[in-house]
Amino acid sequence: MAQDQASPNGPDLRQGVPLAELADGGKLLGHVGDDAVLLVRRGAEIFAVGALCSHYHGPLADGLVVGDTIRCPWHHACFDLATGEALRAPAFSPLACWAVEERDGMVFVGEKRARAKPAAGKAATAAPERIVIVGGGAAGFAAAELLRRERFAGSIVMLSADDAPPVDRPNLSKDYLAGKAPEAWIPLRSESFYARNGIDLRLKAEVADIDVRSGAVALADGSTLPYDRLLLATGAEPVRLAIPGADQPHVLTLRSLADSRAISERAAGAARAVVLGASFIGLEVAAALRARGLEVHVVAPDRRPMERVLGPDMGDFVRALHEEHGVVFHLGETASAIDGQQVRLSGGGTLAADLVVAGIGVRPRVALAERAGLAVDRGVLVDGCLETSAPGIFAAGDIARWPDARSGERIRVEHWVVAERQGQTAALNMLGARQPFDAVPFFWSQHYDVPINYVGHAPTWDEVSIEGDIAARDCILRYRRAGRVVAVASIFRDIESLRAEVALERGSPLQDAGGVRSGEPSLGRPRG
Ligand SMILES: Cc1cc2nc3c(=O)[nH]c(=O)nc-3n(C[C@H](O)[C@H](O)[C@H](O)COP(=O)(O)OP(=O)(O)OC[C@H]3O[C@@H](n4cnc5c(N)ncnc54)[C@H](O)[C@@H]3O)c2cc1C
Ligand code: FES
């Protein structure tokens, strides 16, 4: 994903623009000096904010205004138009804001405003003193960051089994693995961030046990740490291959920065790779290895890649897209053994491989919660506010199974943005807010220059309707269960994806094409 700065375009907003050019609810892109600035009108109020999202610099001019907020078209971060505050992950940093003046039917943008201090913590009165977070990934990081933004003044200790501070995990299978993203993009924050914000980040710190009665965690090194509130955000681990030869050094999985580096190092001296698994991670790895010039074969038992999540039509498209880029599929097969450089297939064939990457699924890391006696059922069970069966202990991210506000069913998903947003909700609730987690699940996946965005949750569906043309990379697919749209996948239909998110949040019917307004053009441009 490119992190390029768009060069400022549009009018110089210091010179003023006619108010008549800015309809109520409308946006106007201009600049102030070198800064791209977006004007947004809401009734009598006009806001001027930075035009690029603070996550990956998505163009907010193509985003959706919802009340006094704006949502990013790329990965659905949400910002407060009045303060610039990043209200929802995956963005954490605020947008810059400018002073606006209206005179004689013209709108003038003045000086950049000093950053307003975030509102005081919503539940500071009942705040605990010691918060311990187990996990230095998406949910753990988002929780710690928001606790400090909420001006939580107590101690925060973040214990992570990783050897690196929290990283942008999605990038580990995309541009970073393809060798197109510099190392500097990978940490979510610089190391100094943690010290500056009083977050005691301890790496290679494996938590072995939780003593729920006394309120303390025991680390693998024998030390203990008391807590008033505990957040479990231990994520998931790759399913390991259980076939002969899977223990060889050229057979790898991908979860951590260290894993991504190990695959890159192996790829540097390799000519042929076999990827086992045709799901998101497997195929992103295949794309990254193609970008590095390797011959890539994908072996998977499925009939089509990603069919279970996206349906047959999108599955066929994804296959064709990878084939266009030279990937060779061996579907309906599994690997039965790896003999040195030979991968034996269930159908009897063999494939030569200098590198094998197994992307055959993940399992939530629930052992710690189980040992502590917390309720666990294919994930750590939490209530609507993400609290586990033990009061004061919360869970978020890949391990959490929560009651979905829309279906009423307990669900668990493995999405980056969901994990971050759950970390944020858990943070507020550890401070006593009792805020239900009701965000609509969202994920994106990137294959070459094609991003696929998905909102909602549809483990099963009765029907998929397709609007637009999948092969032309301009489409929106609606997945229906019992007549209701429960999820929407799209390619370069960002504004419609955002509208679908809002409609799902509000429980508005999204029954057919007419249910989603499509007054604005779709955005036919690559992000990569
Ligand atoms: C390569 C890759 C690419 C991905 N791409 C996308 C994408 O494009 N879009 C998307 O939506 N999702 C993507 N995902 C999924 C997404 O990254 C996860 O859903 C998300 O990271 C889950 O966050 P989490 O906080 O639950 O767990 P994680 O981010 O995995 O963090 C778990 C943390 O817990 C620590 N930990 C575990 N056990 C212990 C213990 N006992 N003691 C101490 N620490 C412990 C780990 O060391 C780690 O720091 C991707 C995942 C991977 C691996
Ligand atoms: S670029 Fe805006 S949310 Fe990712």
Side-chain angles (χ1 to χ4, degrees):
M1 191 78 55
Q3 297 199 349
D4 52 327
Q5 292 276 352
S7 54
N9 51 20
D12 181 347
L13 300 174
R14 286 170 302 194
Q15 306 300 320
V17 287
L19 179 62
E21 282 185 17
L22 198 55
D24 188 10
K27 310 180 222 94
L28 192 149
L29 180 62
H31 66 97
V32 173
D34 288 338
D35 292 314
V37 174
L38 187 68
L39 280 183
V40 180
R41 180 171 173 187
R42 295 291 300 167
E45 268 193 293
I46 298 174
F47 306 101
V49 295
L52 298 177
C53 174
S54 63
H55 178 228
Y56 282 178
H57 301 157
L60 295 178
D62 297 334
L64 184 69
V65 175
V66 182
D68 289 348
T69 68
I70 187 160
R71 298 189 188 196
C72 176
W74 285 2
H75 316 113
H76 295 200
C78 178
F79 299 91
D80 186 316
L81 284 165
T83 63
E85 192 72 10
L87 299 175
R88 291 201 212 180
F92 295 104
S93 301
L95 301 174
C97 297
W98 280 261
V100 179
E101 201 192 331
E102 219 186 297
R103 242 184 301 132
D104 308 326
M106 297 284 285
V107 179
F108 297 90
V109 174
E111 295 298 309
K112 200 182 269 189
R113 294 205 321 248
R115 255 207 80 196
K117 281 249 183 298
K122 294 178 184 62
T125 43
E129 283 177 14
R130 298 162 305 182
I131 292 183
V132 171
I133 297 171
V134 186
F141 171 82
E145 195 273 346
L146 192 66
L147 283 168
R148 285 303 183 226
R149 253 201 282 161
E150 288 284 309
R151 293 197 258 161
F152 168 62
S155 77
I156 304 174
V157 181
M158 193 195 279
L159 303 165
S160 171
D162 288 348
D163 54 9
V167 293
D168 184 358
R169 204 176 297 288
N171 212 326
L172 300 181
S173 53
K174 302 181 180 68
D175 283 354
Y176 180 70
L177 187 63
K180 294 182 195 163
E183 187 88 21
W185 287 8
I186 299 307
L188 290 178
R189 284 289 184 273
S190 65
E191 286 189 29
S192 64
F193 166 86
Y194 301 94
R196 266 187 289 117
N197 286 281
I199 299 169
D200 182 358
L201 170 63
R202 302 188 195 171
L203 300 176
K204 298 189 203 166
E206 176 97 29
V207 174
D209 266 312
I210 306 166
D211 185 338
V212 175
R213 276 207 187 156
S214 68
V217 294
L219 280 87
D221 67 7
S223 60
T224 58
L225 192 68
Y227 63 82
D228 299 318
R229 298 284 184 281
L230 180 67
L231 175 62
L232 295 179
T234 47
E237 62 199 336
V239 172
R240 305 278 158 187
L241 262 185
I243 56 172
D247 54 352
Q248 298 172 85
H250 67 297
V251 182
L252 301 168
T253 55
L254 174 55
R255 183 77 193 178
S256 63
L257 176 58
D259 296 336
S260 188
R261 283 190 183 132
I263 295 172
S264 299
E265 276 162 28
R266 280 270 159 191
R272 294 154 308 184
V274 169
V275 174
L276 304 177
S279 65
F280 294 95
I281 291 192
L283 289 184
E284 289 185 353
V285 169
L289 295 178
R290 285 297 300 140
R292 287 179 175 272
L294 274 74
E295 179 185 316
V296 178
H297 293 257
V298 172
V299 177
D302 324 61
R303 271 182 311 176
R304 295 181 177 91
M306 298 183 183
E307 183 176 8
R308 198 178 50 78
V309 181
L310 296 174
D313 299 279
M314 196 69 114
D316 284 340
F317 165 73
V318 168
R319 176 181 180 159
L321 175 65
H322 281 269
E323 284 175 341
E324 250 172 57
H325 286 82
V327 172
V328 182
F329 283 90
H330 303 266
L331 297 174
E333 294 210 69
T334 54
S336 53
I338 305 171
D339 263 344
Q341 312 289 98
Q342 295 293 317
V343 178
R344 262 196 269 140
L345 304 187
S346 50
T350 56
L351 292 171
D354 310 310
L355 165 64
V356 178
V357 182
I360 54 173
V362 296
R363 282 199 194 98
R365 285 190 182 115
V366 295
L368 191 58
E370 261 168 350
R371 276 200 299 277
L374 306 186
V376 172
D377 172 18
R378 295 159 295 147
V380 178
L381 298 184
V382 291
D383 66 13
C385 295
L386 305 180
E387 194 163 16
T388 68
S389 56
I393 303 183
F394 292 75
D398 285 1
I399 58 166
R401 185 175 286 280
W402 81 98
D404 174 36
R406 274 149 290 277
S407 64
E409 293 163 10
R410 280 187 175 276
I411 63 172
R412 188 182 72 75
V413 301
E414 292 156 1
H415 306 340
W416 179 252
V417 172
V418 173
E420 291 183 327
R421 290 181 180 173
Q422 287 193 341
Q424 294 180 321
T425 299
L428 296 176
N429 290 338
M430 287 192 290
L431 301 181
R434 298 301 297 166
Q435 189 180 101
F437 179 76
D438 57 7
V440 171
F442 166 82
F443 77 77
W444 83 97
S445 184
Q446 180 89 21
H447 303 261
Y448 312 97
D449 57 351
V450 179
I452 301 173
N453 278 10
Y454 183 100
V455 288
H457 182 68
T460 60
W461 61 84
D462 312 321
E463 193 198 332
V464 192
S465 65
I466 303 168
E467 189 187 319
D469 183 347
I470 302 181
R473 297 148 198 217
D474 173 23
C475 60
I476 183 153
L477 282 72
R478 297 184 178 84
Y479 302 82
R480 287 188 182 73
R481 206 158 76 171
R484 282 188 73 83
V485 174
V486 288
V488 170
S490 58
I491 298 175
F492 291 131
R493 291 277 187 115
D494 294 337
I495 198 79
E496 290 170 74
S497 172
L498 282 168
R499 286 188 179 129
E501 179 180 69
V502 173
L504 287 165
E505 276 169 15
R506 292 178 179 164
S508 326
L510 245 172
Q511 308 296 5
D512 49 38
V516 177
R517 287 190 295 130
S518 54
E520 293 187 30
S522 61
L523 306 162
R525 45 95 198 92
R527 301 154 154 99

